[in-house]
Amino acid sequence: MLIKNKKGVKIMKLENLQKELYKKKFTISEYFKKAFETLKIIINENRLWTIFFVIANIWKLLSTSLSSKLIESSEYSVYKFLMFVPNIVTTIYIGVFCIILFIKIGNRIENKPYNFNLKGITKKYLSIIAVFVVVYLIFSEMLVKILIVIYALWWMGGEFAMSLHLSYELFFVIFGIVVVIMLLAVFSMIVFFISNILYLVQIYCIRNISIQEAFRLNLELSRGNRQRILIPVMLLTVLNFLLTSPFSNILVLTPLNFLRFTPLYAIFPVSVIIGVISSLLVILIIIISVIIYLNVEYDYIKKHNKN
């Protein structure tokens, strides 16, 4: 069904999707089907925003790749200085675009008017960034300490093994087991954290509540609904991660960085192609996460007889 907005432009209503989301819980395939349908509508209604988002993603990929190419150049410091401001601007735009997209998709599905509120968007953006920066610093500190402990165990363990006349083979086995246990402990903590914020961003962006209240509601909705959102979102996230990994400067991803051997003239078209696909994947991730969140929330409301 088509309606006209205030500017007289025809748009497609998504109120039927809201009714379907309220009626029953979707399957994974239904989530993907509705997400692809919504993707077409959202892009069509936000063409300019989407074009800038794609350009920003292309720029981030291109600048990262060129940076690794020119790192040994005598003009690298000049290039890095010239790229600093554009990189900051594109990073901020990508973040703000995602926040606005969460809000817009939620409002469109619930057939609510969207009023651009720069102050509110900025507050949500900074709050989410602050939360993830704090979490990043905590896990980084933990990782650094674990690496120090591993080094200490290697050094002291070797001396201890020699005093007990243990064979090197046995020492390596014991050391390897200890390292694996420590890394599994960190990995488990990361998984535990991620599994408890699966609905946080959607709630905080779409509902007019504090981030503390959003986190509480997120925990409520997560009960019995973690796999529902984790499977499709992780699938798309991993796909996007693998797609953009050739542009990454992360040491463990170096074997995937085939762009190191790619001529400069070929990097631009590769950046454009991957940038466009990656941008669509990010938008799709946001859409499907919002659809799943609303589906879970509506089911929660029905079960608890809340308005």
Side-chain angles (χ1 to χ4, degrees), residues 275-294:
V276 171
I277 299 173
S278 175
S279 299
L280 294 177
L281 281 173
V282 171
I283 296 173
L284 187 62
I285 290 170
I286 294 174
I287 291 172
I288 201 168
S289 66
V290 171
I291 290 175
I292 296 172
Y293 153 64
L294 291 176

Side-chain angles (χ1 to χ4, degrees), residues 151-168:
Y151 178 78
L153 286 174
W154 174 262
W155 181 261
M156 296 175 61
E159 296 292 329
F160 185 69
M162 290 179 63
S163 65
L164 293 178
H165 304 289
L166 294 177
S167 65
Y168 283 111

Side-chain angles (χ1 to χ4, degrees), residues 26 35 40 71 79 95 100 105 114 124 135 143 152-153 162 183 191 193 224 244 266 275 283 285 287 298 303 305:
F26 283 7
K40 299 174 186 177
I71 194 168
Y79 164 80
I100 293 175
I105 294 168
Y114 171 73
K124 291 180 184 294
V135 172
L143 187 60
L153 286 174
M162 290 179 63
L183 293 178
V191 171
F193 170 75
T244 57
I283 296 173
I285 290 170
I287 291 172
Y298 294 158
K303 288 180 178 178
N305 294 319

Side-chain angles (χ1 to χ4, degrees), residues 36-97:
F36 279 111
E37 292 175 359
T38 306
L39 176 66
K40 299 174 186 177
I41 298 170
I42 294 299
I43 291 178
N44 187 55
E45 293 179 1
N46 303 274
R47 293 177 184 175
L48 192 59
W49 280 87
T50 304
I51 289 172
F52 286 143
F53 178 66
V54 172
I55 293 173
N57 270 311
I58 292 172
W59 171 256
K60 292 290 289 183
L61 296 176
L62 184 62
S63 61
T64 301
S65 184
L66 290 177
S67 178
S68 62
K69 280 282 186 182
L70 300 174
I71 194 168
E72 297 179 358
S73 172
S74 59
E75 299 179 354
Y76 175 70
S77 58
V78 177
Y79 164 80
K80 194 172 182 179
F81 175 76
L82 292 174
M83 295 300 105
F84 177 76
V85 173
N87 282 336
I88 291 294
V89 172
T90 52
T91 300
I92 293 174
Y93 178 80
I94 289 171
V96 171
F97 174 85

Side-chain angles (χ1 to χ4, degrees), residues 119-181:
K119 182 179 178 181
I121 292 170
T122 303
K123 179 183 177 182
K124 291 180 184 294
Y125 175 69
L126 294 177
S127 297
I128 292 172
I129 290 296
V131 169
F132 283 98
V133 166
V134 170
V135 172
Y136 171 78
L137 291 175
I138 291 173
F139 280 112
S140 296
E141 182 68 18
M142 287 176 55
L143 187 60
V144 169
K145 289 183 177 179
I146 285 176
L147 290 175
I148 293 174
V149 171
I150 290 175
Y151 178 78
L153 286 174
W154 174 262
W155 181 261
M156 296 175 61
E159 296 292 329
F160 185 69
M162 290 179 63
S163 65
L164 293 178
H165 304 289
L166 294 177
S167 65
Y168 283 111
E169 290 80 5
L170 181 59
F171 169 70
F172 285 138
V173 171
I174 296 173
F175 178 76
I177 292 173
V178 172
V179 170
V180 169
I181 291 173

Side-chain angles (χ1 to χ4, degrees), residues 201-228:
V201 177
Q202 301 95 302
I203 297 171
Y204 184 57
C205 289
I206 296 173
R207 305 303 179 206
N208 188 25
I209 58 178
S210 66
I211 195 163
Q212 294 87 347
E213 183 64 19
F215 180 69
R216 186 197 65 77
L217 181 56
N218 154 78
L219 293 178
E220 288 283 337
L221 298 182
S222 295
R223 294 174 184 172
N225 293 297
R226 286 183 171 86
Q227 288 186 355
R228 182 171 296 275

